[in-house]
Amino acid sequence: MGKTIRLLGTQLTLLPERALLLPEYDTLVVADWHLGKAAHFRKAGIFMPALPVDKDRARLQSLLNRYRIQTVVFLGDLFHSDLNSEWLVFEQFRVANPSIRFILTRGNHDILPDTLLEKAEVNVVPFYTVAAHIHCTHHPEAHGFPGRLNIAGHVHPGCLIAANGRQSYRLPCFYYREQTLLLPAFGSLTGLFRVPHLEGARIYPIVGNQVLDWKKV
């Protein structure tokens, strides 16, 4: 179940599938899929099952089937490495969704040739402006702009939630502070960076199929 919040007068739905829905703009925002990472590890001699790739694709497809989406914005690091067999997963996914526009704000791992992305009808840009007050980037902007929300990836935010019996859980989360909203990494094979609970920060952990408010956990 997603959690709906309002930032700078705009409705945003934080989805437990690790994506962000902007319903007023029929836009889905996804950060750091890192597709190709499993094949990259296998090439290095590290065993990795194919299952996470299939599950990630199914998870994203379920969102496109469930919501009215005209545009998908990938906040960088769509593909993890040089070209490998997992690019076919994205090509098949693209063919299955011909009416949807795909935008990629280039990240540090996005090293595939532009011609390959163009063939898949992915528009590669340094940043993407959803509206005058909503700016999408891979890296969080160093300095905010008054009245503008920066939606960013790259960080892979996570938080540590205490539980009974001196246990704790590391969970992916959405993190908002100083007009910057960091999205959790979409890919299953990504790590977590524990974000600080600073003054004014709002942290939304993903717990199973729910997105919770830190203060209510």
Side-chain angles (χ1 to χ4, degrees):
M1 182 171 63
K3 182 175 185 60
T4 298
I5 62 174
R6 293 193 73 85
L7 297 175
L8 302 183
T10 299
Q11 179 179 321
L12 303 94
T13 303
L14 315 179
L15 298 170
E17 291 85 356
R18 305 186 193 182
L20 172 70
L21 178 66
L22 300 171
E24 297 173 36
Y25 302 97
D26 296 336
T27 295
L28 185 73
V29 187
V30 176
D32 303 281
W33 188 349
H34 287 274
L35 185 62
K37 193 171 187 178
H40 179 72
F41 284 162
R42 288 190 209 102
K43 188 176 180 180
I46 303 171
F47 172 75
M48 293 296 297
L51 184 60
V53 177
D54 297 332
K55 291 180 70 174
D56 287 348
R57 177 176 59 178
R59 181 158 43 100
L60 184 54
Q61 187 62 60
S62 71
L63 294 176
L64 299 186
N65 295 342
R66 190 185 319 161
Y67 299 103
R68 185 179 65 187
I69 303 296
Q70 294 183 357
T71 302
V72 174
V73 181
F74 293 108
L75 297 180
D77 291 358
L78 169 62
F79 203 80
H80 181 79
S81 64
D82 294 323
L83 182 64
N84 61 46
S85 60
E86 289 185 18
W87 179 248
L88 295 175
V89 173
F90 184 79
E91 287 186 331
Q92 294 165 0
F93 172 75
R94 186 67 183 95
V95 169
N97 298 281
S99 64
I100 296 177
R101 181 172 59 147
F102 287 84
I103 307 291
L104 171 64
T105 63
R106 192 187 298 275
N108 49 292
H109 278 278
D110 293 310
I111 60 175
L112 292 181
D114 286 348
T115 53
L116 197 66
L117 293 161
E118 290 170 3
K119 183 179 178 182
E121 298 184 20
V122 176
N123 185 15
V124 183
V125 294
F127 60 86
Y128 180 68
T129 301
V130 178
H133 65 296
I134 303 175
H135 194 66
C136 295
T137 59
H138 175 61
H139 292 89
E141 295 178 323
H143 304 286
F145 295 86
R148 191 172 84 178
L149 173 66
N150 177 211
I151 302 173
H154 183 65
V155 176
H156 303 189
C159 59
L160 193 67
I161 302 296
N164 294 331
R166 298 190 212 177
Q167 297 185 76
S168 60
Y169 297 94
R170 287 173 60 87
L171 300 170
C173 67
F174 296 85
Y175 183 81
Y176 177 72
R177 187 171 185 265
E178 296 181 344
Q179 297 182 191
T180 298
L181 177 65
L182 298 178
L183 268 56
F186 183 79
S188 298
L189 294 178
T190 55
L192 297 177
F193 171 76
R194 185 179 173 186
V195 289
H197 200 169
L198 301 174
E199 183 177 355
R202 293 163 63 178
I203 301 177
Y204 301 94
I206 298 173
V207 183
N209 62 353
Q210 297 184 77
V211 179
L212 305 179
D213 191 301
W214 174 277
K215 296 178 182 178
K216 298 179 181 179
V217 174

